[in-house]
Amino acid sequence: MTLGAAGALAAGQLVSGDASASVGGATATAGAGTSVSGTVFGLGVASGDPLPTAVVLWTRVVPPQQGSSGILAPTVAVTWQLASDSGFTTIVKSGTATASSSLGYSVHVDVTGLTPATDYWYRFTALGRTSVTGRTRTAPAPGTTPENLRIALASCQNWQHGYFTVYQDMREQRPDLVLFVGDYIYESSAYSYRVRRHEGSGAPVTLAQYRARHEQYNTDPDLQAMRAAAPFVVVFDDHEVEQDWAGDVANDPVAWPADKFRARRTAAFQAFYEHMPIRLAQKPVGPDVLMYRALDFGSLARLHVLDTRQYRDDQAATAAEASETGRVIMGDTQRDWLLDSMRGSGARWNLVASQVMMAETDYLAGVGKEWSYDAWDGYQTERAALLAEFQDIRNPVVLSGDRHRTIVSDLKLDYADADSAVVGAEFVGTSISSNGDEDLTAFAAEWQPKLADNPHWKIIDARRGYLLLDIAPDRIDARLRTISTVLTRNGTTTTAATFRVEDGVPGVYQVGVEPQSAADASTAVPTP
């Protein structure tokens, strides 16, 4: 919705859509081809972290009862095939993996020796059953510059707030990669809310409980279909463990002292690994996991995946504390790795996947500032130092989630100075379902007075959906795809706005819209 435009406000639209697709009716099947899966592969298949010659294939063998593993033998043999066609007439690679009870019968096959920039199809067989067919794609070869790389940016899918129907549209757009930047599950207790209810009777804290929550989410047919249609790059934010956790500090440190919380984090991390198409390098060791990593897509782009949870200081309580020297959200080791990687990437675009928003959000209308301390605003000194480094890095573009809002903005060297240099761009993607369908009129009334305090924002939108980024050598075009409702399965998905970043030109602008003041834009950023 464009605030200040009465017609758009009444229609609940950001701008006039330039494309739409119906996503109503029955959900799509998961992946190309059909086969019988029964309950053995009831959580579907997935692939992830594509390299030029390798990709991770994932599935999990499950028994009939959700959350139970007692009826299976300690190990189960799972055969896999990778083919160059969906009919599997040409098998490129095949083998047998062992699914063990110790890892919830999950299977992670790191298939190597593949051809760069190539589509492949894969499937699994176990206990006399064959999975649905998945499609994946390897990354471009080093030194090559593909004409386009299409990335779908997704985050924040709350089972209880709405259906994941927008994945149907995402699948139709045929992205090369889905970047999921956090809140794949929500750890909240089961309660009646809008459309469907979490399993169990309370928040997950044990391995069995986290497994059951992941199982429930992965039964969603639209999520299953998307995971089977394109490789994912995933990282956790807070709700995969507990809301607003920070390092060894729980949201409620009295109820969850450090040792007890680390035990909970151990369970959450293991369940996350068991359900995600990630490499052995991302397998947790107790309560710790190396999640930050970089993926290259030829000389076109390097994608840096951050971990803004494990190494951060506890959230600040005041603006003064947020500005203290030494407060970190990345930690020294990760920060040095990021800067070294961006400086030496040689890529046209340096993409940074950050779970929480990097650009400033000033919640206070008028004089003074009010920040969300869980975002980069709560770590002012480290952010300022990083943005200063962005001046000497080619085309830094940050891709974030968490806010349940689409917020597109310039990254500024100094947010206290309206004339400060622009050093990059940030795309904050809205949620798949979290917050459900919102009252757009109330949203506008709340945030219109605060727009002038956030002049670096290009737009903010309160609807559900995702961002679809087409990355070319000379520019990035990002389409905001919003869905009309997540409370039923009959939503319609539309391109609400398009944004562009040009090679060598820091910042972002909205395509087809005259430059406007912040007071003519739209916005909102509630507590996630």
Side-chain angles (χ1 to χ4, degrees), residues 45-76:
V45 300
S47 67
D49 278 19
L51 303 177
T53 60
V55 69
V56 177
L57 306 181
W58 172 92
T59 192
R60 183 176 165 218
V61 176
V62 293
Q65 287 79 31
Q66 187 181 66
S68 170
S69 59
I71 69 168
L72 297 177
T75 60
V76 175

Side-chain angles (χ1 to χ4, degrees), residues 294-324:
L295 298 164
D296 284 332
F297 297 88
S299 60
L300 180 64
R302 175 171 287 182
L303 172 60
H304 305 83
V305 182
L306 299 187
D307 175 354
T308 59
R309 286 291 160 191
Q310 273 193 99
Y311 314 109
R312 67 160 65 196
D313 290 316
D314 194 12
Q315 289 89 348
T318 65
E321 187 178 344
S323 302
E324 289 177 351

Side-chain angles (χ1 to χ4, degrees), residues 219-501:
T219 61
D220 183 274
D222 299 316
L223 176 58
Q224 273 200 20
M226 190 65 248
R227 278 167 54 107
F232 272 56
V233 172
V234 298
V235 66
F236 50 73
D237 188 24
D238 55 339
H239 288 288
E240 289 86 353
V241 182
E242 182 211 31
Q243 181 175 349
D244 291 349
W245 67 277
D248 290 342
V249 182
N251 183 268
D252 183 354
V254 175
W256 292 91
D259 289 347
K260 184 179 178 182
F261 178 68
R262 284 174 65 84
R264 182 179 182 181
R265 202 172 78 189
T266 297
F269 281 0
Q270 179 168 334
F272 184 83
Y273 174 77
E274 290 174 353
H275 292 86
M276 298 297 152
I278 48 182
R279 286 192 163 79
L280 185 62
Q282 277 65 61
K283 180 182 177 182
V285 178
D288 305 308
V289 61
L290 180 60
M291 189 55 63
Y292 64 84
R293 59 204 190 275
L295 298 164
D296 284 332
F297 297 88
S299 60
L300 180 64
R302 175 171 287 182
L303 172 60
H304 305 83
V305 182
L306 299 187
D307 175 354
T308 59
R309 286 291 160 191
Q310 273 193 99
Y311 314 109
R312 67 160 65 196
D313 290 316
D314 194 12
Q315 289 89 348
T318 65
E321 187 178 344
S323 302
E324 289 177 351
T325 301
R327 289 188 52 78
V328 297
I329 192 171
M330 288 188 295
D332 295 344
T333 301
Q334 183 177 194
R335 182 185 63 251
D336 291 347
W337 162 82
L338 174 63
L339 292 173
D340 288 345
S341 181
M342 288 194 293
R343 290 177 186 133
S345 74
R348 187 72 54 90
W349 300 96
N350 279 286
L351 308 177
V352 180
S354 170
Q355 294 71 62
V356 294
M357 185 172 175
M358 186 174 290
E360 182 180 79
T361 297
D362 184 359
Y363 289 83
L364 181 63
V367 179
K369 290 183 181 292
E370 184 177 302
W371 299 315
S372 168
Y373 300 130
D374 188 61
W376 284 79
D377 280 336
Y379 303 85
Q380 294 275 320
T381 302
E382 187 177 34
R383 180 181 64 187
L386 179 62
L387 294 179
E389 296 286 352
F390 276 11
Q391 296 177 99
D392 300 319
I393 292 169
R394 185 170 188 178
N395 294 331
V397 176
V398 178
L399 308 174
S400 309
D402 179 63
R403 285 294 173 83
H404 311 165
R405 298 284 184 268
T406 302
I407 308 175
V408 179
S409 58
D410 290 336
L411 292 172
K412 305 270 288 184
L413 189 61
D414 181 2
Y415 287 104
D417 179 3
D419 297 322
S420 180
V422 175
V423 297
E426 181 176 30
F427 294 94
V428 178
T430 185
S431 64
I432 295 295
S433 68
S434 302
N435 278 28
D437 293 350
E438 296 193 54
D439 183 334
L440 301 181
T441 302
F443 161 79
E446 179 182 1
W447 286 95
Q448 178 75 52
K450 303 172 186 177
L451 297 179
D453 298 279
N454 295 278
H456 49 284
W457 286 347
K458 306 302 175 178
I459 210 164
I460 184 166
D461 187 271
R463 290 171 289 179
R464 311 285 69 82
Y466 67 99
L467 283 164
L468 189 68
L469 296 94
D470 283 299
I471 303 170
D474 63 335
R475 67 191 188 191
I476 295 178
D477 282 344
R479 286 184 282 155
L480 168 56
R481 300 287 290 171
T482 60
I483 191 165
S484 58
T485 181
V486 295
L487 302 187
T488 71
R489 296 188 184 275
N490 299 315
T492 299
T493 305
T494 303
T495 294
T498 301
F499 304 90
R500 180 169 294 167
V501 181

Side-chain angles (χ1 to χ4, degrees), residues 150-154 170 175-180 466-469:
R150 175 167 286 187
I151 296 179
L153 175 63
M170 186 187 293
D176 298 304
L177 178 76
V178 178
L179 175 60
F180 198 99
Y466 67 99
L467 283 164
L468 189 68
L469 296 94

Side-chain angles (χ1 to χ4, degrees), residues 76-142:
V76 175
V78 181
T79 60
W80 58 271
Q81 294 177 317
L82 186 82
S84 59
D85 63 289
S86 60
F88 288 82
T89 57
T90 304
I91 305 298
V92 177
K93 298 278 185 177
S94 63
T96 301
T98 299
S100 67
S101 59
S102 62
L103 286 176
Y105 298 99
S106 60
V107 175
H108 298 76
V109 181
D110 195 351
V111 186
T112 59
L114 303 179
T115 302
T118 301
D119 289 343
Y120 292 98
W121 287 261
Y122 61 96
R123 64 188 179 189
F124 299 88
T125 301
L127 303 175
R129 300 283 187 171
T130 300
S131 73
V132 297
T133 297
R135 172 200 164 269
T136 192
R137 182 172 177 82
T138 50

